[in-house]
Amino acid sequence: MSDPVYADPIPAATLVLFRASGDGAPELLIVERAAAMAFAGGALVFPGGRVDAEDRALALRDLPGDEHGAARIAAIREMIEEAGVAIGLKPQPDAVQLAAIRSGLHHGAAFGELLVAHGLRLDPAALTPFARWCPRHANMRIFDTMFFVARLPEGAPAPVVDATENTRVFWASAQAVLDDADAGRATIIFPTRRNLERLAQYAGFEDAVADAVRHGTPMITPWTETRDGADYLCIPDDAGYPVTAERLSDARRA
């Protein structure tokens, strides 16, 4: 039997966007992936995608010395592309500017050039590094993904689905998404489930930031081990996650 083949990790970024919900748990912005997508098709995820060459070039220009600069930019850009919400920009773009930037991105324009054209600049402090995941699956694409958390700016527009990679965008608490998945009404992949369980612990955005600062962003690469005769997919016990193992037969992997 030949040894498994592992592809080189693809840098990626995702953004967990919070908004307050009265006296209840905070809500998070969720998108549903189109069923035909090769990665996580039909699953509920946070907006995000791969870090591209233009993200890296813009980071060198505008965020020198920021180890997460390119990933921050990718998260900001993907949030605009996928949900039509601007995070991490100063000043906050108006509806006309945001629509023009989103249209430009969808037509292949460079993000940095769009920012200059509209008199906007990056605000990297709006995004707090939360986690880093790099699941390694043999003979599959591997994504090295930085997760960021951010707060919805006051006056931000309602999200609008891009209707290409995603088919739905909505706000929901972390626990509500987990409940839907457990009831068979939704699909979530292993990293999303573990992060939703962690996010469900927080009473507000400030709790998420404090927890992120406390645990940092060590790379999490799940592994398989046998416990009491069953195979489990596992993650470290000291990274802030309340659930650190799931039966491999139950785990949805991208």
Side-chain angles (χ1 to χ4, degrees), residues 52-64 69-70 72-74 76-77 89 110-116 120-122:
D52 63 27
E54 290 180 352
D55 298 327
R56 290 188 285 271
L58 183 56
L60 287 174
R61 188 190 80 184
D62 290 0
L63 303 179
R72 288 184 203 271
I73 292 168
I76 294 168
R77 174 181 54 75
L89 299 180
F111 190 32
E113 294 177 2
L114 291 168
L115 296 182
V116 171
L120 304 173
R121 64 186 186 280
L122 297 166

Coordinates of all heavy atoms in Angstrom, one line a residue, residues 52-64 69-70 72-74 76-77 89 110-116 120-122:
D52 N -4.9 35.3 -1.3 CA -4.3 35.3 -2.6 C -3.1 36.2 -2.7 O -2.7 36.9 -1.7 CB -5.4 35.7 -3.7 CG -5.9 37.1 -3.5 OD1 -5.2 38.0 -3.0 OD2 -7.1 37.3 -4.0
A53 N -2.5 36.2 -3.9 CA -1.2 37.0 -4.1 C -1.4 38.4 -3.8 O -0.5 39.1 -3.3 CB -0.7 36.7 -5.5
E54 N -2.6 39.0 -4.3 CA -2.8 40.4 -4.0 C -3.0 40.7 -2.6 O -2.6 41.8 -2.1 CB -4.1 40.8 -4.8 CG -3.9 40.8 -6.4 CD -5.1 41.2 -7.1 OE1 -6.2 41.4 -6.5 OE2 -5.0 41.4 -8.4
D55 N -3.6 39.8 -1.8 CA -3.6 40.0 -0.3 C -2.2 40.2 0.3 O -2.0 41.0 1.1 CB -4.4 38.9 0.3 CG -5.8 38.7 -0.1 OD1 -6.5 39.8 -0.4 OD2 -6.3 37.6 -0.2
R56 N -1.3 39.3 -0.2 CA 0.0 39.3 0.3 C 0.7 40.6 -0.1 O 1.5 41.2 0.7 CB 0.8 38.1 -0.1 CG 0.3 36.8 0.5 CD 1.2 35.6 0.2 NE 1.0 35.1 -1.2 CZ 0.1 34.2 -1.5 NH1 -0.7 33.7 -0.6 NH2 0.0 33.8 -2.8
A57 N 0.5 41.0 -1.3 CA 1.2 42.3 -1.8 C 0.6 43.5 -1.0 O 1.4 44.4 -0.7 CB 0.9 42.4 -3.3
L58 N -0.7 43.5 -0.8 CA -1.3 44.6 -0.1 C -0.8 44.7 1.4 O -0.6 45.7 1.9 CB -2.8 44.5 -0.2 CG -3.6 45.7 0.5 CD1 -3.2 47.0 -0.1 CD2 -5.1 45.4 0.3
A59 N -0.6 43.5 2.0 CA -0.1 43.4 3.3 C 1.3 44.0 3.4 O 1.6 44.7 4.4 CB -0.2 42.0 3.8
L60 N 2.1 43.7 2.5 CA 3.5 44.2 2.5 C 3.5 45.7 2.3 O 4.3 46.4 2.9 CB 4.3 43.6 1.3 CG 4.7 42.1 1.5 CD1 5.3 41.6 0.2 CD2 5.7 41.9 2.6
R61 N 2.5 46.2 1.6 CA 2.5 47.7 1.4 C 1.9 48.4 2.6 O 2.4 49.4 3.0 CB 1.6 48.0 0.1 CG 1.7 49.4 -0.3 CD 0.6 49.7 -1.4 NE -0.7 49.9 -0.8 CZ -1.8 50.1 -1.5 NH1 -1.7 50.1 -2.8 NH2 -3.0 50.2 -0.9
D62 N 0.8 47.9 3.1 CA 0.0 48.6 4.1 C 0.1 48.1 5.5 O -0.2 48.8 6.5 CB -1.5 48.7 3.7 CG -1.7 49.5 2.4 OD1 -0.8 50.1 1.9 OD2 -2.9 49.6 2.0
L63 N 0.5 46.9 5.7 CA 0.6 46.3 7.0 C 1.9 45.6 7.2 O 2.0 44.4 7.7 CB -0.6 45.2 7.2 CG -2.0 45.7 7.1 CD1 -3.0 44.6 7.3 CD2 -2.3 46.9 8.0
P64 N 3.0 46.3 7.0 CA 4.3 45.7 7.2 C 4.6 45.3 8.6 O 4.2 46.0 9.5 CB 5.3 46.8 6.7 CG 4.5 48.1 6.9 CD 3.1 47.7 6.6
G69 N -1.0 39.9 8.5 CA -1.5 40.9 7.6 C -2.3 40.4 6.4 O -3.4 40.9 6.1
A70 N -1.7 39.5 5.7 CA -2.4 39.0 4.5 C -3.6 38.2 4.8 O -4.6 38.4 4.1 CB -1.4 38.1 3.7
R72 N -5.6 38.8 7.5 CA -6.6 39.9 7.8 C -7.2 40.4 6.6 O -8.4 40.6 6.5 CB -5.9 41.0 8.6 CG -5.5 40.7 10.0 CD -4.9 42.0 10.7 NE -4.0 41.7 11.8 CZ -4.4 41.5 13.1 NH1 -5.7 41.7 13.4 NH2 -3.5 41.3 14.0
I73 N -6.4 40.8 5.6 CA -6.9 41.4 4.4 C -7.8 40.4 3.7 O -8.9 40.8 3.2 CB -5.7 41.9 3.5 CG1 -5.0 43.0 4.2 CG2 -6.2 42.2 2.1 CD1 -3.7 43.4 3.5
A74 N -7.4 39.2 3.6 CA -8.3 38.2 2.9 C -9.6 38.0 3.7 O -10.7 37.9 3.0 CB -7.6 36.8 2.9
I76 N -11.2 40.4 5.4 CA -11.9 41.6 5.1 C -12.5 41.5 3.7 O -13.7 41.8 3.5 CB -11.0 42.8 5.3 CG1 -10.6 43.0 6.8 CG2 -11.7 44.1 4.8 CD1 -9.5 44.0 7.0
R77 N -11.7 41.2 2.8 CA -12.1 41.1 1.4 C -13.2 40.0 1.2 O -14.2 40.3 0.5 CB -10.9 40.8 0.5 CG -11.2 40.5 -1.0 CD -10.0 40.2 -1.8 NE -9.2 39.1 -1.3 CZ -9.6 37.8 -1.3 NH1 -10.7 37.4 -1.9 NH2 -8.8 36.8 -0.8
L89 N -12.3 48.5 7.8 CA -12.0 49.7 6.9 C -12.3 51.0 7.6 O -13.2 51.1 8.4 CB -12.8 49.6 5.6 CG -12.6 48.3 4.7 CD1 -13.5 48.4 3.5 CD2 -11.1 48.2 4.3
A110 N -8.4 44.6 -8.2 CA -7.5 44.5 -7.1 C -8.1 45.2 -5.9 O -8.5 46.4 -6.0 CB -6.1 45.0 -7.4
F111 N -8.2 44.6 -4.7 CA -8.7 45.2 -3.5 C -8.0 46.5 -3.2 O -8.7 47.5 -2.8 CB -8.7 44.1 -2.4 CG -9.4 44.5 -1.2 CD1 -10.6 45.3 -1.2 CD2 -9.0 44.1 0.1 CE1 -11.3 45.6 -0.1 CE2 -9.7 44.5 1.2 CZ -10.8 45.2 1.2
G112 N -6.7 46.4 -3.2 CA -5.9 47.6 -2.8 C -6.3 48.8 -3.7 O -6.4 50.0 -3.2
E113 N -6.4 48.6 -5.0 CA -6.8 49.7 -5.9 C -8.2 50.2 -5.6 O -8.4 51.4 -5.7 CB -6.7 49.2 -7.4 CG -5.2 48.9 -7.8 CD -5.2 48.3 -9.2 OE1 -6.2 48.2 -9.9 OE2 -4.0 47.9 -9.6
L114 N -9.1 49.3 -5.3 CA -10.4 49.8 -4.9 C -10.4 50.6 -3.7 O -11.2 51.6 -3.6 CB -11.3 48.5 -4.7 CG -11.7 47.7 -6.0 CD1 -12.3 46.4 -5.7 CD2 -12.6 48.5 -6.9
L115 N -9.6 50.3 -2.7 CA -9.6 51.0 -1.5 C -9.0 52.4 -1.8 O -9.6 53.5 -1.3 CB -8.7 50.3 -0.4 CG -9.2 49.0 0.1 CD1 -8.2 48.5 1.1 CD2 -10.6 49.1 0.7
V116 N -8.0 52.5 -2.6 CA -7.4 53.8 -2.9 C -8.5 54.7 -3.7 O -8.7 55.9 -3.4 CB -6.2 53.7 -3.8 CG1 -5.7 55.0 -4.3 CG2 -5.0 53.0 -2.9
L120 N -10.3 54.9 1.1 CA -10.4 54.0 2.3 C -9.1 53.4 2.7 O -8.2 53.3 1.9 CB -11.4 52.9 2.1 CG -12.8 53.3 1.7 CD1 -13.7 52.1 1.3 CD2 -13.5 54.1 2.8
R121 N -8.9 53.1 4.0 CA -7.7 52.4 4.4 C -8.1 51.3 5.3 O -9.2 51.2 5.9 CB -6.8 53.4 5.1 CG -7.3 54.0 6.4 CD -6.4 55.1 7.0 NE -6.9 55.6 8.3 CZ -7.8 56.5 8.5 NH1 -8.4 57.0 7.4 NH2 -8.2 56.8 9.7
L122 N -7.1 50.4 5.5 CA -7.3 49.2 6.3 C -7.3 49.6 7.8 O -6.5 50.5 8.2 CB -6.3 48.2 6.1 CG -6.3 47.6 4.6 CD1 -5.0 46.8 4.4 CD2 -7.5 46.7 4.4

